[in-house]
Amino acid sequence: MWHGEQLDLDAYLARIGYGGERAPTFDALRELHRAHVLALPFENLEIILGRGIPLDLAALQDKLVHRRHGTRGAYCFEHVTLFAAALERFGFGLTGLMGRVRMGSDKVKPETHAMLRVETAETAEGPETGRVWLCDVGFGSSPLTPVELADGAEASADDWRYRLEWRTVTPGARGWMLYAWDAAEGRWFDRHGTTPDPRYPVDYEVANHFVATHPRSPFVTRPFIQRVLPDRLHVLDGLTLTTTRPLDGSREARELAPGEVPEALDGLFGIRLEAEDARRLVAGLNP
């Protein structure tokens, strides 16, 4: 289903810096998840540059793995499609999921976020079947570790903390709510909710079309870039650059001039645009 046979697995693992075992164990899943999130940032620049977002594996590998000029990131549908192909090659059992982004709001929003439900053959404690995990590698401020799909399960990685609860996620529907710890507020902050209904690549194609083209999509109006690190989160929203530290919740923000954006993308986000794309991006940001 996820076309893992089309993946250049060696090149993908080299791109994310993974050198561990190639088996469907929890240790492998944890390290793969962490390596993918740290190596591949979140960005919507193809949309801002007037191009589409293809989800076929050949296009994703060309953009994220084999690219010879420049270094790029992706958004959730791209991340999850590529990650699922790698998990399939490792032998994991996996199911696509889609969620509704909340970010503290009770408003019912469309399902526009892609994630994976992943089964492991063993855990860090030893052989144990039947445990499943939420892998959320494409949220931008993504967890650095899988979170077990169990009510009240918590996970931590470096300075970040996460929690899953089984609860009402939309009126009349129960599912999984993912929370992140907000140190500034001293509380769990709800990120998104998902029902356990399986989703398929074709569902991602439909939602991807909406996110990449609909005038109400937040990703068609301005650059939105995120990179999560062990001790901080960098976000570029239009021309506003913020850095948040999860340990104490502190936040720094400043406005960039359009001409500063390519350098910030390279230095902070690990995104190096080709010269013509950088020129077009800056031109589009100028009033």
Side-chain angles (χ1 to χ4, degrees):
M1 176 172 297
W2 301 101
H3 305 293
E5 74 284 353
Q6 299 177 17
L7 178 66
D8 185 344
L9 184 60
D10 290 339
Y12 166 74
L13 296 180
R15 172 70 177 87
I16 67 172
Y18 176 85
E21 64 176 340
R22 302 188 184 187
T25 65
F26 173 68
D27 288 339
L29 179 65
R30 179 183 58 199
E31 294 307 314
L32 269 175
H33 193 292
R34 179 182 178 85
H36 182 107
V37 171
L38 291 177
L40 298 175
F42 180 102
E43 51 113 322
N44 67 331
L45 293 174
E46 290 297 281
I47 301 170
I48 302 305
L49 291 168
R51 298 190 286 258
I53 305 289
L55 296 183
D56 62 282
L57 207 55
L60 293 177
Q61 291 185 96
D62 181 64
K63 179 184 180 185
L64 298 172
V65 178
H66 293 145
R67 198 175 191 92
R68 291 185 293 273
H69 304 288
T71 307
R72 295 296 301 276
Y75 71 4
C76 68
F77 298 110
E78 300 167 280
H79 277 287
V80 168
T81 301
L82 183 64
F83 192 63
L87 294 183
E88 191 173 72
R89 286 286 295 276
F90 271 53
F92 288 101
L94 63 150
T95 304
L97 298 173
M98 286 187 63
R100 302 176 191 272
V101 176
R102 289 173 60 97
M103 300 304 287
S105 171
D106 290 331
K107 182 179 179 180
V108 177
K109 300 176 183 178
E111 290 186 324
T112 57
H113 180 53
M115 297 161 285
L116 294 170
R117 175 191 184 276
V118 182
E119 303 171 14
T120 52
E122 72 179 45
T123 71
E125 295 76 29
E128 189 174 338
T129 59
R131 296 182 72 175
V132 293
W133 309 85
L134 180 71
C135 287
D136 184 19
V137 297
F139 196 65
S141 54
S142 291
L144 294 179
T145 183
V147 184
E148 186 172 11
L149 279 167
D151 189 22
E154 295 186 16
S156 61
D158 300 286
D159 292 347
W160 300 93
R161 295 171 58 194
Y162 321 98
R163 178 180 175 87
L164 269 174
E165 292 183 3
W166 178 261
R167 49 159 289 183
T168 299
V169 293
T170 55
R174 294 180 66 79
W176 298 105
M177 189 74 74
L178 180 67
Y179 297 85
W181 179 251
D182 185 336
E185 298 288 336
R187 65 183 179 92
W188 290 106
F189 180 75
D190 51 330
R191 289 185 165 192
H192 53 69
T194 180
T195 60
D197 307 290
R199 298 292 186 263
Y200 305 96
V202 66
D203 298 313
Y204 291 170
E205 289 279 359
V206 173
N208 178 56
H209 177 71
F210 171 85
V211 172
T213 65
H214 198 280
R216 290 180 58 189
S217 167
F219 296 126
V220 304
T221 59
R222 85 286 193 215
F224 190 65
I225 326 293
Q226 297 189 72
R227 186 183 186 189
V228 64
L229 297 169
D231 64 343
R232 73 196 72 180
L233 170 69
H234 295 303
V235 177
L236 180 64
D237 187 348
L239 291 171
T240 303
L241 176 66
T242 61
T243 299
T244 304
R245 298 181 184 274
L247 199 59
D248 61 6
S250 62
R251 183 176 180 271
E252 304 165 3
R254 69 183 181 96
E255 293 296 310
L256 300 182
E260 296 180 286
V261 170
E263 183 178 355
L265 291 178
D266 189 358
L268 294 177
F269 297 91
I271 297 171
R272 186 172 301 115
L273 294 176
E274 297 178 28
E276 177 57 20
D277 282 351
R279 185 198 66 78
R280 290 177 57 203
L281 177 63
V282 170
L285 291 170
N286 275 303

